[in-house]
């Protein structure tokens, strides 16, 4: 048994499941698969389980009994949010309905909600000065998206004898553009269909193909791109306008700022409360190092 928190044992399989969940998250986020950080991931997993156990214990101490009506109300809300009972059970990974077990788990959620409400109370009512300070401190979250306007010349592989032929054509087009040829005139001459857009208008990241955006957003206004490819064919593009990212006005985002202020307050209260629980808890870790690899 690797973890014992105030006498409550955490099974090895629970630690392993949490570890794999943490490791999987980082591998998806960072797009890496490596064992080097396994001790770190295992430490995070154990800390998560310790925190949950302590919160559960404190919630049961404060609220040993919760009413059936409260449990039913919370369960119904969870089912509605999941889009129905079948989807709810699928989401929690329970192939066979076990209402007693579910209600017991939901009761734990009710206790925790009550405990958190007590921890957070009374929540502050921020002043205008508080909100403006929060706005300034978190300005990066209230920026508009950078936008560019671009035009492009595209040739697909349809009807071409080879990729090399298209590449040489587009390279020649680029050389003409670099020598001062009119972009729109050349685009008209080389577009493969009448409905093919030359001016793409204004757009933000995430609205076009990633390969195209990577090139376009890295360019200065008036610059001619190198010849590059996407799934649509070969391209040359130019940026004709740029709107930089700027801060949205305070009044426009005031409601969001207030939500952030309250969330930051809750986070501080929650973390302080959790540290208090850890400071007085008896935590035994019989396998502090864990294994070096999660394979």
């Amino acid at each position: 048994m690797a973890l014992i928190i105030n006498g409550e044992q955490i099974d090895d399989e629970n630690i392993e499941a949490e570890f794999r969940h943490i490791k999987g998250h980082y591998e998806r986020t960072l797009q890496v698969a490596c064992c080097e950080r396994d001790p770190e991931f295992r430490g995070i997993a154990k800390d998560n389980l310790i925190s949950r156990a302590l919160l559960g214990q404190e919630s049961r101490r404060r609220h040993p009994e919760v009413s059936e009506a409260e449990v039913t109300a919370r369960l119904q809300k969870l089912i509605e949010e999941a889009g129905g009972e079948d989807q709810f059970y699928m989401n929690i990974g329970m192939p066979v309905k076990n209402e007693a077990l579910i209600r017991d788990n939901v009761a734990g959620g009710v206790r925790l909600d009550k405990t958190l409400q007590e921890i957070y109370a009374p929540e502050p009512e921020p002043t205008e000065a508080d909100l403006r300070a929060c706005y300034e401190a978190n300005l990066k979250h209230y920026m508009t998206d950078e936008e560019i306007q671009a035009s492009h010349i595209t040739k697909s592989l349809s009807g071409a004898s080879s990729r090399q032929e298209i590449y040489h054509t587009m390279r020649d087009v680029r050389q003409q553009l670099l020598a001062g040829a009119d972009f729109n005139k050349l685009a008209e001459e080389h577009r493969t269909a009448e409905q093919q857009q030359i001016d793409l208008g204004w757009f933000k990241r995430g609205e076009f193909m990633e390969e195209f955006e990577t090139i376009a957003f890295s360019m200065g206004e008036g610059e001619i791109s190198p010849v590059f490819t996407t799934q649509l064919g070969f391209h040359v593009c130019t940026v004709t306008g740029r709107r930089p990212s700027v801060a949205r006005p305070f009044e426009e985002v005031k409601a969001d700022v207030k939500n952030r202020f309250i969330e930051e307050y809750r986070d501080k209260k929650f973390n302080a409360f959790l540290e208090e629980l850890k400071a007085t808890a008896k935590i035994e870790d019989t396998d502090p190092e864990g294994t070096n690899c999660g394979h």
Side-chain angles (χ1 to χ4, degrees), residues 52-77:
R52 286 181 209 152
L54 290 173
L55 287 168
Q57 291 169 5
E58 179 65 13
S59 297
R60 287 191 294 274
R61 185 188 71 78
R62 292 185 179 216
H63 303 282
E65 300 294 333
V66 293
S67 72
E68 289 299 312
E70 289 175 306
V71 174
T72 299
R74 182 181 173 88
L75 179 57
Q76 288 176 343
K77 183 180 179 182

Side-chain angles (χ1 to χ4, degrees), residues 31 39 113 195 233:
Q31 295 185 330
D113 282 350
Q195 67 269 26

